[in-house]
Amino acid sequence: MNLKDIQKLKDIVGSSNVLTSSTDTLKYRQDWTSQFKSNFDHCVIKPSSTAEVSAIMEYASKEHIAVVPQGGNTGLVGGGVPFSSRFDDSFSSPFFELILSMERMNRILDFDKVSGSLNVEAGCVLESLSSVCEEHGFMMPLDLGSKGSCQIGGNVATNAGGLRFGRYGSLHSNVLGLTVVLADGRVLSNRIPLRKDNTGYDLNHLFIGSEGTLGIITNVMLSVPPSSRFEYVLLFGLNSFEEVQSLFAATRQHELSMFLSAFEFWDASASSLVSSAFDLSPPFSSPFFVLLETRGSMPHDHLFESFMETVDPFVLNAILASSSSEASHLW
């Protein structure tokens, strides 16, 4: 890549949106854990529209310039950083790559309350989308620990599962349509706010989980469910992983299952690690923990008594959050 290429890229997105100095590009050349880091100079480009992404990819294809799509850079496997950072420096060679950051493409294009569809650009941060949904009486079907930094385009590209997978399924279940820029700059758009669309091939599923190998996602249309008026959070302590499985099976077979939205487990070693790093500790000690969340449009706390009678033989301790602040603390 030479000065002519840099100038061409500046012509597409503007000079201020092309970064070349090692200082400016540092945060894009490494992941948030610093486990994957490139010591070579790479160019970062920040487009603001599908048209700009298309122009970038068309030029990069013609000039044989490698491109790394990057969202919130919250991954743990180095997929969003340059290739040379994935090897020991003694093995890798200075292989230039253009880092294409989606951070400027963060506009919310449309929210349809009738169909419950949200149309956004791929650079929107997940937490901001959750806030917008809440303002309209809806909720995001996806929730992640990295929601304050991760971008919806990256979520779709990696088919992120999240905490609400058990209730709302994967993003294959919630993506209504995508706009994708292919490697040669061609634009494929299939954003239809209609869940029941049985016409022809569903190309969206090819790109969900493709991690940027087939194209760069620039727009996402999502199906979002209405917010739940009633939410409950319970924390359980159990003796073994087998009892965790028993608790899960009992939950699925109980009336409470229709309200189940999250079922997360961890063991004592994980709890100890978190406690030492963040000065947090569970309200009781246990070899295994399960956090269970239920959501619904009607009260269902009356089901907990019979549920607790069912699971009592293998549960050591249990706590039901009595307030939203306590529920947040348990999470």
Side-chain angles (χ1 to χ4, degrees), residues 24-326:
D24 292 338
T25 63
L26 177 60
K27 74 171 186 176
Y28 303 93
R29 292 187 284 111
Q30 63 183 24
D31 74 336
W32 67 277
T33 67
S34 296
Q35 180 180 2
F36 300 99
K37 179 179 179 180
S38 174
N39 294 320
F40 305 124
D41 290 332
H42 296 277
C43 176
V44 177
I45 188 166
K46 301 189 288 184
S48 64
S49 67
T50 297
E52 289 184 357
V53 176
S54 175
I56 293 165
M57 295 307 296
E58 181 180 7
Y59 182 79
S61 177
K62 290 179 179 178
E63 299 298 323
H64 305 290
I65 299 171
V67 178
V68 182
Q70 187 178 98
N73 207 10
T74 59
L76 295 170
V77 296
V81 293
F83 182 78
S84 55
S85 64
R86 300 171 211 170
F87 297 96
D88 187 279
D89 285 345
S90 62
F91 176 82
S92 58
S93 60
F95 178 68
F96 183 88
E97 291 170 273
L98 175 64
I99 303 171
L100 194 151
S101 170
M102 301 297 292
E103 63 185 32
R104 292 180 65 218
M105 296 189 62
N106 56 8
R107 291 177 286 269
I108 295 171
L109 305 177
D110 183 52
F111 195 112
D112 189 336
K113 291 184 179 181
V114 176
S115 64
S117 62
L118 177 63
N119 186 12
V120 301
E121 291 184 325
C124 288
V125 174
L126 180 59
E127 190 169 44
S128 66
L129 296 183
S130 296
S131 299
V132 169
C133 287
E134 289 175 7
E135 291 172 5
H136 290 85
F138 289 79
M139 62 179 288
M140 283 292 291
L142 177 68
D143 189 20
L144 300 169
S146 59
K147 62 185 176 183
S149 304
C150 67
Q151 298 174 7
I152 190 62
N155 298 150
V156 174
T158 57
N159 193 22
L163 304 176
R164 296 171 182 162
F165 182 91
R167 178 71 172 270
Y168 301 106
S170 71
L171 285 167
H172 281 286
S173 303
N174 299 289
V175 171
L176 296 174
L178 299 172
T179 297
V180 181
V181 177
L182 304 181
D184 61 0
R186 287 179 296 170
V187 177
L188 175 64
S189 184
N190 183 30
R191 288 178 295 141
I192 303 174
L194 180 66
R195 179 177 288 277
K196 188 178 180 181
D197 180 10
N198 57 1
T199 57
Y201 298 108
D202 193 337
L203 297 178
N204 294 318
H205 291 291
L206 285 174
F207 297 96
I208 300 172
S210 64
E211 302 195 26
T213 57
L214 300 178
I216 300 175
I217 297 170
T218 59
N219 292 87
V220 181
M221 181 171 284
L222 292 161
S223 174
V224 293
S227 295
S228 302
R229 292 178 56 198
F230 300 93
E231 303 174 12
Y232 304 94
V233 176
L234 299 92
L235 181 67
F236 295 92
L238 303 105
N239 254 328
S240 65
F241 179 67
E242 287 72 25
E243 291 182 348
V244 171
Q245 293 176 301
S246 297
L247 179 60
F248 181 67
T251 307
R252 294 290 298 271
Q253 294 167 10
H254 193 269
E255 289 179 271
L256 202 62
S257 64
M258 69 179 71
F259 302 102
L260 182 64
S261 62
F263 187 100
E264 298 288 322
F265 91 91
W266 64 98
D267 62 12
S269 59
S271 180
S272 176
L273 183 63
V274 172
S275 297
S276 62
F278 298 102
D279 194 27
L280 294 172
S281 59
F284 50 77
S285 299
S286 180
F288 286 85
F289 298 89
V290 166
L291 190 144
L292 188 152
E293 181 188 75
T294 63
R295 292 171 174 261
S297 59
M298 62 184 72
H300 49 276
D301 51 333
H302 62 282
L303 297 174
F304 292 140
E305 183 175 353
S306 64
F307 176 67
M308 291 306 299
E309 290 176 357
T310 301
V311 303
D312 182 67
F314 48 84
V315 168
L316 296 176
N317 291 288
I319 289 179
L320 171 64
S322 58
S323 64
S324 57
S325 60
E326 187 175 345

